[in-house]
């Protein structure tokens, strides 16, 4: 009987620990009492940034994606290099490409002035991504909050874990599957390319050497992206049809052979994702719903919670 009693107490202790672990996970009202103005501060700053430069909306969304895909949503992408580690900013997918760091700095400074040491940089990235999509007329979703910030970053992980725009469909599916995403979620998240721009260097091979591209579209792009490396940094919209709106035109473009990046057009290339592209091209509501759900799932990639990590007072460096 004594054994049973001790066993019951042990089971209760294990259950209590599991409940505590669960309570340390993310929640939508995480800052309701500790910093009730947090979400409004982020939204205002994002709107101001997007008004000044439309491209910034896509840049802030991309920051969140590039953060979460490398060791989870922990704001490691924001860390500057130190003597102890080389961070993610100079990784091949990020260097001369990621933008919006100053906007995050501004938001963090504003939040530190009203709620010092409370709102994490990782949560700022998650909120800013949602508000960027909203500012372009896209769908909303409930952002789960309570992430903490990492104290290190990894150049090598950023170089290997972020999917390349040159990937074929098979490798895209594999890359996203490694992070727990289905093919539907891969296609839905790729729809974020209805915003933003890409450098000529990223799509030069497609417009000069690939055949599954609309010929008029390719000719148009060649005027701004010559075969010379001198035009490497020239930009073209990822969505040629409506680059300043978050809509389903990206998928309509794929149907017409107007995907800018090789990885874009791979989603409609005779493979298993063709039907999803077709569905999204004809139903913006379906795309919006699937995109919002996939963004919530992405924001839940291996967050630091509880006593892990820290709340950085400066998003570029550890405390």
């Amino acid at each position: 009987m004594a054994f049973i009693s001790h066993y019951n107490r042990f089971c209760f202790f294990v259950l209590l620990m599991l409940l505590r672990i669960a309570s340390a996970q993310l929640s939508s009202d995480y800052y309701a009492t500790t910093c009730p103005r947090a979400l409004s501060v982020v939204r205002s700053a994002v709107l101001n940034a997007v008004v000044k430069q439309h491209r910034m909306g896509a840049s802030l969304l991309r920051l969140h994606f590039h953060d979460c895909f490398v060791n989870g949503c922990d704001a490691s992408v924001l860390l500057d290099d130190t003597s102890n580690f080389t961070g993610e900013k100079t990784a091949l997918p990020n260097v001369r490409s990621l933008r919006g760091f100053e906007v995050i700095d501004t938001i963090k400074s504003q939040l530190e002035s009203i709620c010092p040491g409370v709102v994490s940089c990782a949560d700022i990235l998650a909120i800013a991504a949602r508000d960027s999509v909203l500012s372009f007329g896209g769908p909303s979703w409930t952002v789960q909050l309570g992430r903490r910030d990492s104290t290190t970053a990894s150049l090598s992980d950023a170089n290997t874990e972020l999917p390349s725009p040159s990937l074929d469909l098979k490798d895209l599916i594999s890359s996203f599957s490694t992070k727990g995403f289905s093919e539907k979620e891969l296609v839905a998240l790729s729809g974020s390319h209805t915003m933003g721009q890409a450098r000529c260097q990223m799509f030069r091979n497609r417009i000069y050497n690939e055949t599954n591209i609309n010929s008029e579209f390719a000719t148009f792009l060649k005027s701004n992206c010559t075969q010379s490396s001198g035009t490497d940094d020239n930009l073209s919209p990822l969505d040629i049809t409506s680059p300043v709106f978050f809509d389903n035109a990206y998928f309509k473009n794929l149907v017409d052979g107007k995907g800018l990046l090789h990885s874009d057009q791979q989603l409609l290339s005779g493979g298993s994702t063709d039907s999803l592209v077709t569905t999204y091209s004809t139903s913006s509501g379906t795309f919006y719903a699937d995109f919002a759900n996939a963004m919530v799932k992405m924001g839940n990639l291996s967050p630091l919670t509880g006593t892990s990590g820290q709340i950085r007072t400066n998003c570029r460096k550890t405390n």
Side-chain angles (χ1 to χ4, degrees), residues 40-61 63 99-108 110 124 127-129 131-133 135-136 195 244:
S40 62
V41 167
V42 177
R43 177 166 295 188
S44 178
V46 168
L47 288 175
N48 288 337
V50 171
V51 167
K52 290 179 182 177
Q53 187 181 94
H54 290 328
R55 185 185 172 202
M56 189 55 68
S59 298
L60 293 173
L61 175 59
L63 269 181
R99 307 167 65 255
F101 298 108
E102 296 79 8
V103 176
I104 301 301
D105 290 340
T106 297
I107 295 171
K108 182 61 175 174
Q110 292 174 355
I124 292 173
I127 303 167
D131 292 346
S132 294
V133 171
S135 71
F136 275 70
M195 301 162 60
V244 295

Side-chain angles (χ1 to χ4, degrees), residues 2 31 138 188 203 210 212 235 301-302:
Y31 298 113
F203 59 85
E210 297 186 9
N212 61 341
L235 300 170
L301 285 178
S302 304

Side-chain angles (χ1 to χ4, degrees), residues 231-276:
T231 58
D232 279 359
D233 291 332
N234 288 0
L235 300 170
S236 288
L238 288 159
D239 170 5
I240 194 69
T241 306
S242 53
V244 295
F245 295 100
F246 191 101
D247 54 24
N248 68 335
Y250 166 80
F251 298 104
K252 295 178 180 179
N253 292 338
L254 297 185
V255 172
D256 293 335
K258 296 179 180 179
L260 183 67
L261 303 177
H262 174 80
S263 57
D264 289 329
Q265 198 62 53
Q266 281 291 295
L267 300 178
L268 187 69
S269 57
S272 57
T273 56
D274 283 9
S275 60
L276 287 163

Side-chain angles (χ1 to χ4, degrees), residues 36-296:
R37 290 176 52 199
L39 271 68
S40 62
V41 167
V42 177
R43 177 166 295 188
S44 178
V46 168
L47 288 175
N48 288 337
V50 171
V51 167
K52 290 179 182 177
Q53 187 181 94
H54 290 328
R55 185 185 172 202
M56 189 55 68
S59 298
L60 293 173
L61 175 59
R62 191 159 178 257
L63 269 181
H64 181 47
F65 174 79
H66 280 230
D67 178 40
C68 292
F69 251 62
V70 181
N71 299 320
C73 307
D74 59 3
S76 57
V77 73
L78 303 177
L79 286 171
D80 290 336
D81 296 349
T82 72
S83 58
N84 296 321
F85 65 84
T86 302
E88 300 166 22
K89 290 182 176 179
T90 55
L92 290 177
N94 295 336
V95 67
R96 298 170 64 194
S97 175
L98 285 188
R99 307 167 65 255
F101 298 108
E102 296 79 8
V103 176
I104 301 301
D105 290 340
T106 297
I107 295 171
K108 182 61 175 174
S109 177
Q110 292 174 355
L111 289 173
E112 285 297 307
S113 69
I114 60 172
C115 310
V118 173
V119 183
S120 70
C121 301
D123 277 349
I124 292 173
L125 287 176
I127 303 167
R130 190 270 312 274
D131 292 346
S132 294
V133 171
L134 270 175
S135 71
F136 275 70
S140 183
W141 59 90
T142 301
V143 179
Q144 299 298 305
L145 302 167
R147 301 167 191 80
R148 289 168 65 84
D149 302 322
S150 68
T151 56
T152 189
S154 172
L155 175 69
S156 61
D157 288 345
N159 275 324
T160 57
E161 295 186 19
L162 289 165
S164 164
S166 64
L167 291 183
D168 291 333
L169 178 61
K170 174 176 67 70
D171 294 322
L172 282 170
I173 292 172
S174 175
S175 176
F176 277 73
S177 176
T178 299
K179 302 296 180 182
F181 291 108
S182 65
E183 290 185 19
K184 181 172 77 171
E185 289 161 339
L186 155 64
V187 178
L189 289 172
S190 297
S192 64
H193 284 184
T194 189
M195 301 162 60
Q197 304 179 66
R199 295 166 58 230
C200 164
Q201 186 179 25
M202 298 294 103
F203 59 85
R204 178 183 283 120
N205 183 67
R206 169 156 168 75
I207 64 176
Y208 284 98
N209 298 317
E210 297 186 9
T211 57
N212 61 341
I213 186 170
N214 180 287
S215 58
E216 292 181 1
F217 177 58
T219 299
F220 171 76
L221 292 170
K222 289 174 182 177
S223 64
N224 189 47
C225 181
T226 67
Q227 290 182 300
S228 164
S229 61
T231 58
D232 279 359
D233 291 332
N234 288 0
L235 300 170
S236 288
L238 288 159
D239 170 5
I240 194 69
T241 306
S242 53
V244 295
F245 295 100
F246 191 101
D247 54 24
N248 68 335
Y250 166 80
F251 298 104
K252 295 178 180 179
N253 292 338
L254 297 185
V255 172
D256 293 335
K258 296 179 180 179
L260 183 67
L261 303 177
H262 174 80
S263 57
D264 289 329
Q265 198 62 53
Q266 281 291 295
L267 300 178
L268 187 69
S269 57
S272 57
T273 56
D274 283 9
S275 60
L276 287 163
V277 171
T278 302
T279 295
Y280 292 155
S281 72
T282 58
S283 175
S284 58
T286 302
F287 164 50
Y288 281 9
D290 289 349
F291 179 82
N293 289 333
M295 286 298 296
V296 172

